[in-house]
Amino acid sequence: MQYSLLEIMFFAMTFFSVSLWEFVMFQRKHTNYPHKEGFAIFSIIQWIAIGIGMVSIFGVLYGILILVICMTVLQYICHFSLGLLWNVVSKIHYLWPTAIFATNVWVLLALGILQIVY
Protein backbone atom coordinates (compact mmCIF):
# COMPACT_ATOMS: atom_id res chain seq x y z
CA MET A 1 0.00 0.00 0.00
CA GLN A 2 1.33 3.41 -0.95
CA TYR A 3 0.41 6.34 1.25
CA SER A 4 -0.45 9.79 -0.05
CA LEU A 5 1.45 12.89 1.01
CA LEU A 6 -1.53 13.89 3.17
CA GLU A 7 -1.43 10.54 4.98
CA ILE A 8 2.32 10.76 5.54
CA MET A 9 1.90 14.28 6.93
CA PHE A 10 -0.84 12.99 9.24
CA PHE A 11 1.40 10.16 10.52
CA ALA A 12 4.28 12.57 11.14
CA MET A 13 2.06 15.07 12.93
CA THR A 14 0.58 12.27 15.02
CA PHE A 15 4.06 11.26 16.20
CA PHE A 16 4.93 14.93 16.83
CA SER A 17 1.68 15.56 18.72
CA VAL A 18 1.90 12.43 20.87
CA SER A 19 5.48 13.34 21.81
CA LEU A 20 4.35 16.80 22.91
CA TRP A 21 1.36 15.36 24.76
CA GLU A 22 3.57 12.90 26.62
CA PHE A 23 6.07 15.61 27.59
CA VAL A 24 3.42 18.03 28.82
CA MET A 25 1.81 15.17 30.78
CA PHE A 26 5.18 14.69 32.45
CA GLN A 27 5.40 18.43 33.20
CA ARG A 28 1.87 18.39 34.54
CA LYS A 29 2.60 15.59 36.98
CA HIS A 30 6.00 16.77 38.21
CA THR A 31 5.77 20.56 38.29
CA ASN A 32 3.36 23.31 39.21
CA TYR A 33 1.76 23.31 35.76
CA PRO A 34 -0.70 26.24 35.38
CA HIS A 35 -2.97 25.07 32.53
CA LYS A 36 -4.27 21.66 33.64
CA GLU A 37 -7.88 22.08 32.48
CA GLY A 38 -6.97 23.58 29.12
CA PHE A 39 -4.44 20.87 28.51
CA ALA A 40 -7.07 18.22 29.31
CA ILE A 41 -9.43 19.69 26.71
CA PHE A 42 -6.71 19.84 24.07
CA SER A 43 -5.75 16.25 24.92
CA ILE A 44 -9.28 15.06 24.19
CA ILE A 45 -9.31 16.98 20.90
CA GLN A 46 -5.96 15.45 19.98
CA TRP A 47 -7.12 11.86 20.54
CA ILE A 48 -10.35 12.50 18.63
CA ALA A 49 -8.33 13.95 15.73
CA ILE A 50 -5.99 10.95 15.71
CA GLY A 51 -8.97 8.61 15.81
CA ILE A 52 -10.69 10.41 12.92
CA GLY A 53 -7.55 10.29 10.79
CA MET A 54 -6.67 6.67 11.53
CA VAL A 55 -10.21 5.42 10.92
CA SER A 56 -10.41 7.33 7.63
CA ILE A 57 -7.06 5.89 6.48
CA PHE A 58 -7.32 2.29 7.73
CA GLY A 59 -11.05 1.70 8.24
CA VAL A 60 -12.93 1.33 11.50
CA LEU A 61 -11.39 -1.85 12.91
CA TYR A 62 -7.74 -1.16 12.12
CA GLY A 63 -8.13 2.58 12.73
CA ILE A 64 -9.37 2.01 16.29
CA LEU A 65 -6.64 -0.59 16.86
CA ILE A 66 -3.97 1.88 15.71
CA LEU A 67 -5.50 4.60 17.91
CA VAL A 68 -5.20 2.30 20.92
CA ILE A 69 -1.58 1.55 19.99
CA CYS A 70 -0.91 5.31 19.75
CA MET A 71 -2.44 5.82 23.18
CA THR A 72 -0.49 3.02 24.84
CA VAL A 73 2.77 2.28 23.04
CA LEU A 74 3.63 5.34 20.95
CA GLN A 75 3.87 7.65 23.94
CA TYR A 76 6.75 5.61 25.37
CA ILE A 77 8.59 5.65 22.05
CA CYS A 78 8.09 9.41 21.90
CA HIS A 79 9.36 9.85 25.45
CA PHE A 80 12.79 8.54 24.51
CA SER A 81 13.02 10.29 21.14
CA LEU A 82 11.40 13.71 20.74
CA GLY A 83 10.90 13.97 24.49
CA LEU A 84 14.59 14.80 24.76
CA LEU A 85 14.08 17.72 22.38
CA TRP A 86 11.10 19.03 24.37
CA ASN A 87 13.18 18.88 27.52
CA VAL A 88 15.69 21.26 25.92
CA VAL A 89 12.91 23.52 24.61
CA SER A 90 11.26 23.70 28.03
CA LYS A 91 14.52 24.90 29.56
CA ILE A 92 14.42 27.90 27.21
CA HIS A 93 10.82 28.65 28.17
CA TYR A 94 8.76 26.42 30.44
CA LEU A 95 5.46 26.67 28.51
CA TRP A 96 6.71 26.48 24.92
CA PRO A 97 5.93 22.75 24.65
CA THR A 98 2.36 23.55 25.72
CA ALA A 99 2.04 26.32 23.13
CA ILE A 100 3.44 24.09 20.39
CA PHE A 101 1.12 21.26 21.48
CA ALA A 102 -1.96 23.50 21.38
CA THR A 103 -1.11 24.75 17.90
CA ASN A 104 -0.26 21.27 16.67
CA VAL A 105 -3.60 19.86 17.86
CA TRP A 106 -5.44 22.13 15.42
CA VAL A 107 -3.11 21.15 12.57
CA LEU A 108 -3.65 17.48 13.41
CA LEU A 109 -7.43 17.96 13.51
CA ALA A 110 -7.37 19.69 10.12
CA LEU A 111 -5.29 16.86 8.64
CA GLY A 112 -7.68 14.29 10.13
CA ILE A 113 -10.69 16.04 8.62
CA LEU A 114 -8.91 16.32 5.27
CA GLN A 115 -8.49 12.53 5.36
CA ILE A 116 -12.27 12.23 5.34
CA VAL A 117 -12.76 14.80 2.59
CA TYR A 118 -10.16 13.36 0.24
Side-chain angles (χ1 to χ4, degrees):
M1 177 179 204
Q2 187 164 355
Y3 297 106
S4 70
L5 178 60
L6 183 61
E7 292 168 337
I8 292 169
M9 287 173 50
F10 180 77
F11 297 146
M13 293 307 282
T14 297
F15 185 80
F16 190 73
S17 188
V18 171
S19 72
L20 282 161
W21 175 81
E22 195 281 329
F23 184 80
V24 176
M25 284 292 286
F26 178 81
Q27 278 186 319
R28 200 177 126 185
K29 289 178 185 176
H30 298 287
T31 64
N32 189 16
Y33 186 77
H35 305 294
K36 291 183 181 182
E37 293 81 14
F39 175 72
I41 292 168
F42 273 89
S43 295
I44 291 169
I45 295 169
Q46 171 197 259
W47 293 117
I48 290 170
I50 292 172
I52 289 169
M54 294 303 178
V55 166
S56 67
I57 294 170
F58 296 107
V60 175
L61 180 63
Y62 290 121
I64 292 172
L65 179 65
I66 293 169
L67 173 63
V68 169
I69 290 170
C70 287
M71 294 175 90
T72 57
V73 177
L74 184 59
Q75 65 176 306
Y76 296 107
I77 296 169
C78 293
H79 178 77
F80 295 106
S81 57
L82 285 179
L84 301 172
L85 170 68
W86 303 130
N87 192 37
V88 172
V89 169
S90 71
K91 289 180 182 176
I92 297 169
H93 192 284
Y94 175 69
L95 291 176
W96 277 6
T98 301
I100 297 167
F101 172 74
T103 304
N104 189 68
V105 165
W106 295 116
V107 172
L108 188 65
L109 184 60
L111 289 172
I113 292 170
L114 283 173
Q115 296 298 325
I116 295 171
V117 175
Y118 294 106

